[in-house]
Amino acid sequence: MSYPAEFPISNQLLEYRKEHENEDNGNTTTDGGNLAVNVNTSLTIGKRGPVLLEDLDFFDIMQHFNRERIPERVVHAKGAGAFGFFEVTHDVSQYTAAKVFNGIGKRTHIAVRFSQVTFEMGSQDTTRDVRGFAIKFYTEDGTWDLVGNNTPIFFIQDSKLFPDLIHILKRNPVTHVRDWNMFWDFFSLRPESIHQLLIFYSDRGIPNGYRRMNGYGSNTFSLINKEGVLVYCKFHYLTNQGISNLEANSATLIAGQDPDYALRDLYNAIATGNFPSWNFYIQVMTQEQVQTCNFNPFDVTKVWPHSSYPLIPVGQLHLNKNPSNYFAEIEQLSFNPGSFVPGINGSPDKVLQGRLMAYSDTSRYRLGVNYLQIPVNSPNRINNFNRDGFMTIRSQGGAPNYHPNSFGGPEESVRAKLLYPSMELKGISGFYDLGFDDNFTQPRIFYQTVLDDGAKTRLIQNIVNDLKNASSFIQERQINVFKNVDSEFGRRVCVGLKKFCDFTEVDL
Ligand code: NDP
């Protein structure tokens, strides 16, 4: 694959030179702003001599270089991001008093990060994987982070299994290679994964870049209106560029030729004024509907069927600005599903519950305790009693750092209290495993009615290509999961595997 020279991503340095050609470039400095004496050669005793300890320019360069990398994200390490705005197009005040949705035409600045889930920073953009689609809304009430994926559901129902899930998606700890026995062993033992697995192996498993895929909040959230009435909700953001996916063979080819395919596509589109957008919808479910719903609406392996819970239009997401520096604005861009604004909050969804705590913890590890003071993460306003810690930049001046106090300082918001969710929750505490509830009805609908014949054939081919690498006892167990979705589906995977494997116990 070759890209024409006029593509902005190839021209970044040429553009820089053009913009600055009439400027004085100034003198090289150290990080401290002191004039550097020499940045090309080390200070030595004689032409061939050893380097002197007093070559302070060298220390400044080398010691900074040694610290250039920070821990990469354990998941969602490889990503691309951009900035833009969210615009309200429809009135949803009957459901939520959130200011971000307040008034048709209202615009809120946003940052979006797209990502691969599984592999490292250096991996290929066209591998089969779930894609992250995370949005930060910089609202007047603080930042609201909607941290979703390009699929409406997920592999597991309980965050306690999340580390296991990620372990089996990544590398074998001994060989450091992806291990298909680990992968299929886990999935065949946890049948709640089947719905997400079908979408993973369908055409949407390899989107054609980040602009041509949908996004979903995936988890169940809550909305609270100005009377304090709560409804549960799902978020959908549907692409205006049209869904487009890569067929498995061409994705493999691109992976070799241009591992940064999706990143390049997004950057070039925005730089040439071809701004991507998504229509933003909600689905809502009242607390009364929760009681009569024939599936668990807080189970993230389930969708809310469109026919019962139609998409309600809210607004549009627009991306129109590339980052000015990747590390500062995208690598350090940090999301927290627990960062809500009044009028939007969480739900008993067990995967969401685990995420509420995990993201801020990982950001404190990766970026430090004051990660929210990094400009791209920083809200418009901070008004509280937290102080100090590594890299403090926003200090809050002379205001008291404790409360109650007699010297002035922020008061709790009556509005935030009114809009805090109040849910009726009853039950007996216990470790409940939902994994063996009805896992098959929705995947069956997906397989039987959403996929056409061609899509079914490609799904089966994609599964066979990976499942053929697992041991036969694991293959057999996974085929039984497929048969529970649809017997013909299970049989076709089995027939596909027969070309590669030799097992007899599965009843054809
Ligand atoms: P519909 O029968 O009304 O519509 C099917 C939906 O499937 C489409 O709207 C589209 O969602 C999505 N879709 C189409 N092709 C694929 C694919 N290859 N991979 C993933 N999604 C695809 O939907 P229902 O609500 O009645 O649900 C039927 C089944 O559709 C579900 O069991 C689920 O598997 C799947 N689905 C449902 C979604 C929902 O939120 N209800 C969302 C996505 C999938 P979209 O418009 O979001 O692109």
Side-chain angles (χ1 to χ4, degrees):
M1 182 158 304
S2 67
Y3 292 93
E6 70 271 16
F7 271 20
I9 209 158
S10 330
N11 282 350
Q12 186 268 318
L13 288 173
L14 298 170
E15 289 296 324
Y16 176 84
R17 188 172 61 187
K18 210 178 342 168
E19 274 171 36
H20 298 274
E21 63 194 350
N22 297 323
E23 289 173 21
D24 173 5
N25 289 329
N27 296 117
T28 314
T29 71
T30 64
D31 277 349
N34 309 102
L35 293 175
V37 180
N38 188 315
V39 290
N40 288 315
T41 52
S42 304
L43 182 65
T44 53
I45 305 280
K47 206 169 177 181
R48 297 186 175 188
V51 177
L52 286 175
L53 203 55
E54 67 187 60
D55 186 353
L56 299 179
D57 291 344
F58 172 70
F59 283 113
D60 190 65
I61 294 165
M62 209 58 212
Q63 292 184 348
H64 190 281
F65 174 75
N66 291 344
R67 291 162 178 78
E68 268 182 15
R69 290 292 167 266
I70 58 173
E72 74 172 33
R73 295 167 170 88
V74 182
V75 279
H76 298 274
K78 172 102 189 266
F83 301 91
F85 61 91
F86 170 75
E87 180 166 345
V88 179
T89 54
H90 291 75
D91 178 21
V92 288
S93 56
Q94 72 182 105
Y95 303 115
T96 175
K99 288 187 180 170
V100 64
F101 296 140
N102 182 353
I104 292 171
K106 177 165 183 168
R107 289 186 174 188
T108 299
H109 181 48
I110 57 170
V112 170
R113 185 170 182 273
F114 304 101
S115 51
Q116 306 283 111
V117 171
T118 304
F119 285 114
E120 301 84 358
M121 282 269 268
S123 62
Q124 300 85 4
D125 284 350
T126 54
T127 47
R128 185 172 298 284
D129 200 355
V130 176
R131 268 50 174 184
F133 192 145
I135 313 165
K136 186 182 287 294
F137 299 77
Y138 300 91
T139 88
E140 60 209 274
D141 273 336
T143 51
W144 170 39
D145 292 351
L146 182 54
V147 197
N149 283 331
N150 71 331
T151 64
I153 49 171
F154 200 55
F155 294 105
I156 51 170
Q157 299 159 316
D158 189 321
S159 289
K160 236 179 186 172
L161 284 176
F162 189 76
D164 303 282
L165 170 71
I166 300 307
H167 287 168
I168 63 107
L169 290 174
K170 282 178 174 274
R171 296 168 184 275
N172 176 308
V174 173
T175 63
H176 202 54
V177 171
R178 184 176 237 182
D179 187 321
W180 294 105
N181 274 336
M182 288 166 57
F183 183 98
W184 289 108
D185 188 27
F186 178 86
F187 287 132
S188 61
L189 290 167
R190 297 300 316 185
E192 71 269 32
S193 59
I194 184 63
H195 199 184
Q196 175 73 306
L197 265 182
L198 292 195
I199 293 181
F200 183 86
Y201 278 107
S202 79
D203 294 338
R204 291 198 189 183
I206 315 180
N208 183 3
Y210 294 129
R211 293 182 295 139
R212 302 180 192 90
M213 63 183 202
N214 292 341
Y216 305 87
S218 306
N219 289 118
T220 298
F221 296 91
S222 56
L223 299 175
I224 305 100
N225 71 12
K226 65 179 188 307
E227 278 81 39
V229 177
L230 177 148
V231 290
Y232 292 106
C233 86
K234 293 275 192 191
F235 294 104
H236 298 245
Y237 8 121
L238 306 187
T239 176
N240 288 325
Q241 288 65 245
I243 296 265
S244 170
N245 305 303
L246 293 171
E247 183 273 323
N249 287 335
S250 52
T252 305
L253 201 65
I254 295 171
Q257 292 175 329
D258 184 8
D260 303 318
Y261 177 82
L263 207 155
R264 190 186 309 278
D265 173 72
L266 180 71
Y267 189 99
N268 280 337
I270 293 175
T272 51
N274 187 8
F275 301 136
S277 66
W278 286 259
N279 285 336
F280 190 95
Y281 300 87
I282 51 173
Q283 288 178 294
V284 300
M285 192 184 291
T286 63
Q287 297 197 70
E288 295 70 42
Q289 285 174 308
V290 168
Q291 305 306 323
T292 55
C293 186
N294 61 4
F295 60 91
N296 175 359
F298 307 119
D299 171 358
V300 70
T301 68
K302 308 282 185 293
V303 295
W304 292 6
H306 291 130
S307 51
S308 312
Y309 307 96
L311 297 187
I312 299 166
V314 183
Q316 287 191 326
L317 302 166
H318 294 265
L319 294 181
N320 58 13
K321 186 175 172 295
N322 277 317
S324 55
N325 175 276
Y326 183 86
F327 188 92
E329 296 178 3
I330 304 302
E331 186 55 17
Q332 295 195 115
L333 179 59
S334 134
F335 292 93
N336 173 12
S339 183
F340 294 118
V341 288
I344 305 170
N345 214 288
S347 82
D349 176 335
K350 286 208 261 184
V351 168
L352 177 65
Q353 293 274 314
R355 299 177 75 208
L356 296 180
M357 172 279 289
Y359 283 62
S360 53
D361 184 45
T362 196
S363 294
R364 288 188 176 103
Y365 165 67
R366 232 168 53 81
L367 300 166
V369 64
N370 284 311
Y371 73 99
L372 290 171
Q373 297 189 14
I374 296 170
V376 78
N377 297 325
S378 205
N380 298 331
R381 174 194 66 211
I382 306 173
N383 211 358
N384 63 19
F385 311 98
N386 292 340
R387 293 290 186 280
D388 306 343
F390 283 114
M391 309 294 286
T392 296
I393 296 157
R394 293 176 76 162
S395 72
Q396 307 193 49
N401 67 349
Y402 65 95
H403 85 110
N405 69 72
S406 316
F407 303 100
E411 300 292 335
E412 287 169 351
S413 154
V414 176
R415 193 169 144 268
K417 273 198 179 44
L418 171 73
L419 297 178
Y420 193 76
S422 170
M423 305 170 195
E424 192 181 331
L425 302 169
K426 281 194 209 123
I428 299 185
S429 66
F431 297 101
Y432 296 99
D433 189 342
L434 309 179
F436 302 92
D437 289 2
D438 173 15
N439 294 310
F440 298 107
T441 301
Q442 293 196 356
R444 189 171 301 129
I445 294 169
F446 178 74
Y447 180 79
Q448 293 179 348
T449 65
V450 177
L451 299 184
D452 62 22
D453 287 347
K456 281 183 186 151
T457 302
R458 291 189 294 279
L459 168 81
I460 290 162
Q461 190 56 53
N462 294 333
I463 289 172
V464 168
N465 279 345
D466 287 350
L467 188 54
K468 70 174 194 275
N469 302 313
S471 297
S472 59
F473 77 96
I474 295 174
Q475 292 174 338
E476 290 174 27
R477 199 165 56 207
Q478 186 63 46
I479 285 170
N480 283 327
V481 177
F482 294 143
K483 282 185 171 175
N484 280 326
V485 174
D486 179 281
S487 56
E488 177 239 50
F489 169 43
R491 194 186 61 80
R492 288 183 65 186
V493 174
C494 196
V495 169
L497 284 174
K498 280 268 179 186
K499 286 190 212 148
F500 303 99
C501 315
D502 183 26
F503 56 80
T504 51
E505 285 166 38
V506 176
D507 175 20
L508 281 170

